[in-house]
């Protein structure tokens, strides 16, 4: 049997120790623990990495603490536009959606794009028609409402600014979410889901739904889910870059992930982090910001939940 493992993230950013109340910190950790453990249970029972990452990401989407699904940030027009993606390392199959509204679990719609359409990436109205055809229920605006996100938006809505919820130095909420897993059969998978950036307009799409940028999985190398300023992660083709360093330079997962986040992304002034696994169950979680919500568990008995730099 292969070693198996799961890693999840809830976003990277200026998470400075001491700025968050102990109660809120405990809430974040409980939400991360729950998502990680439910994903791990899937792997423990012999389930697939693909199922494990979907289960974990759905739970993070259901928590208002993170910027994905419920609790997604507000666009310039006061709406929520969500992006999500999923990829399987065995087949290199992938599915993604962007600019969708009213869908409770965008990651599941991304998986349906992968499994029930001939396509990889559906956006906006078309993606909504696809969801409708599959019988998805549409939640009303109120379901996604979160006071902290609303206040973040109120602060900048009359300007041309848009911002990562990550870059707010206050007791704010963070978090695009993602999961990567390696199962007992040595298959790996990755998923990412986000509400994007506060006050975004013009149909802005970040890296999260883009295969190669915010998500990637290939059994030969690694499965990766990213978080950070999407524009830089797109330009750096970050998730695929980790895979390339492993495939073409023979680097280990740990070294490749570190090289990309601590060097290449910084060289283009990008901020953020990623989580990654390889098909032997090794894990990596580098970030170049002050913190990243993250949790992991492996069949070797290692586990942890952290927010700040250790
Ligand atoms: N990468 C996401 C985006 O640019 C944001 C995030 O990671 O929080 O949409």
């Amino acid at each position: 049997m292969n070693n198996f493992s799961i890693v999840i993230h809830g976003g990277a950013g200026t998470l400075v120790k001491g700025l968050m109340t102990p109660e809120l910190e405990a809430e974040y950790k409980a939400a991360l623990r729950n998502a990680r453990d439910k994903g791990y249970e899937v792997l423990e029972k012999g389930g697939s990495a693909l199922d494990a990452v979907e289960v974990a990401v759905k739970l993070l989407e259901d928590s208002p603490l993170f910027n994905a699904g419920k609790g997604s940030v507000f666009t310039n027009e006061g709406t929520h536009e969500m992006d999500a993606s999923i990829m399987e390392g065995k087949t290199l199959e992938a599915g993604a959606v962007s600019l969708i509204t009213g869908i409770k679990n965008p990651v599941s719609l991304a998986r349906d794009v992968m499994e029930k359409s001939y396509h990889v990436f559906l956006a906006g109205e078309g993606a909504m028609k696809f969801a409708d055809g599959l019988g998805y229920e549409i939640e009303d605006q109120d379901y996604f409402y979160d006071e902290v996100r609303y206040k973040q938006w109120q602060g900048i809505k009359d300007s041309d600014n848009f911002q990562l919820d990550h870059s707010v130095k206050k007791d704010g909420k963070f978090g695009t979410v993602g999961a990567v897993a390696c199962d007992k059969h040595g298959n790996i998978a990755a998923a990412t889901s986000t509400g994007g950036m506060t006050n975004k307009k013009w149909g802005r799409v970040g890296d999260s739904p883009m295969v190669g940028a915010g998500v990637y999985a290939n059994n030969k190398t690694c499965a990766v889910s990213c978080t950070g300023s999407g524009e830089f992660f797109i330009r750096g083709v970050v998730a695929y870059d980790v895979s390339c360093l492993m495939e073409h330079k023979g680097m280990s997962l740990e070294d490749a992930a570190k090289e990309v986040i601590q060097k290449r992304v910084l060289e283009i002034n990008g901020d953020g982090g990623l989580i990654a696994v390889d098909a032997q169950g090794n894990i990596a979680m580098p970030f170049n910001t002050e913190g990243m919500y993250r949790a992991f568990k492996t069949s070797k008995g290692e586990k942890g939940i952290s927010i700040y730099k250790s």
Side-chain angles (χ1 to χ4, degrees):
M1 185 195 70
N2 208 74
N3 287 325
F4 55 96
S5 54
I6 184 162
V7 190
I8 63 171
H9 74 74
T14 39
L15 294 158
V16 185
K17 211 169 189 164
L19 280 181
M20 212 191 306
T21 61
E23 293 75 23
L24 187 59
E25 202 173 303
E27 275 182 49
Y28 271 106
K29 287 191 170 168
L32 289 167
R33 179 178 299 109
N34 183 39
R36 177 200 67 185
D37 289 352
K38 295 280 167 16
Y40 189 82
E41 271 171 32
V42 171
L43 301 172
E44 210 170 21
K45 289 183 186 146
S48 70
L50 192 69
D51 284 342
V53 296
E54 185 187 3
V55 162
V57 167
K58 274 173 81 171
L59 287 164
L60 295 168
E61 288 175 338
D62 291 346
S63 164
L65 293 172
F66 303 100
N67 171 20
K70 191 180 180 71
S72 284
V73 297
F74 286 83
T75 66
N76 182 254
E77 286 170 4
T79 58
H80 306 281
E81 286 175 350
M82 299 170 288
D83 306 328
S85 58
I86 193 161
M87 184 158 182
E88 186 171 37
K90 183 180 171 190
T91 56
L92 299 188
E93 280 175 17
V97 288
S98 77
L99 304 172
I100 58 164
T101 52
I103 302 288
K104 185 168 182 254
N105 292 115
V107 71
S108 298
L109 186 59
R111 184 166 176 176
D112 279 336
V113 171
M114 172 171 114
E115 293 177 343
K116 299 177 184 160
S117 83
Y118 289 107
H119 310 295
V120 169
F121 200 157
L122 301 181
E125 255 176 63
M128 295 305 296
K129 275 188 199 152
F130 174 72
D132 187 49
L134 291 176
Y136 271 75
E137 284 191 15
I138 302 302
E139 306 291 338
D140 59 27
Q141 273 279 110
D142 292 350
Y143 172 79
F144 298 93
Y145 179 85
D146 177 79
E147 204 185 332
V148 173
R149 302 284 183 224
Y150 184 73
K151 285 190 181 148
Q152 282 177 342
W153 174 57
Q154 289 293 309
I156 59 167
K157 82 179 175 58
D158 295 324
S159 71
D160 276 341
N161 295 341
F162 59 100
Q163 82 185 14
L164 261 187
D165 56 330
H166 300 196
S167 46
V168 189
K169 262 201 183 181
K170 62 181 181 195
D171 202 6
K173 297 190 176 186
F174 287 72
T176 288
V177 306
V180 293
C182 171
D183 64 32
K184 285 185 176 172
H185 317 286
N187 292 318
I188 59 178
T192 308
S193 180
T194 189
M197 291 171 86
T198 301
N199 210 36
K200 64 184 181 177
K201 54 184 176 183
W202 304 317
R204 181 266 181 192
V205 179
D207 60 312
S208 309
M210 294 187 190
V211 171
V215 76
Y216 189 68
N218 184 339
N219 277 5
K220 283 203 294 195
T221 52
C222 56
V224 179
S225 169
C226 299
T227 171
S229 305
E231 280 67 13
F232 299 92
F233 279 68
I234 295 170
R235 289 163 52 208
V237 203
V238 167
Y240 185 59
D241 203 18
V242 177
S243 173
C244 282
L245 288 175
M246 294 176 72
E247 184 169 1
H248 304 302
K249 272 193 150 181
M251 287 172 88
S252 69
L253 179 81
E254 175 87 34
D255 290 349
K258 208 165 141 199
E259 164 92 11
V260 171
I261 290 298
Q262 309 298 7
K263 191 154 172 266
R264 296 179 174 222
V265 171
L266 281 180
E267 276 167 4
I268 53 170
N269 297 319
D271 57 330
L274 62 81
I275 52 171
V277 291
D278 65 18
Q280 287 73 51
N282 297 310
I283 64 171
M285 306 173 284
F287 54 96
N288 63 29
T289 47
E290 279 155 280
M292 177 167 84
Y293 291 106
R294 59 203 188 276
F296 65 95
K297 192 166 180 178
T298 76
S299 57
K300 292 184 202 155
E302 306 145 323
K303 62 178 181 175
I305 303 171
S306 326
I307 301 177
Y308 312 106
K309 272 185 194 152
S310 46

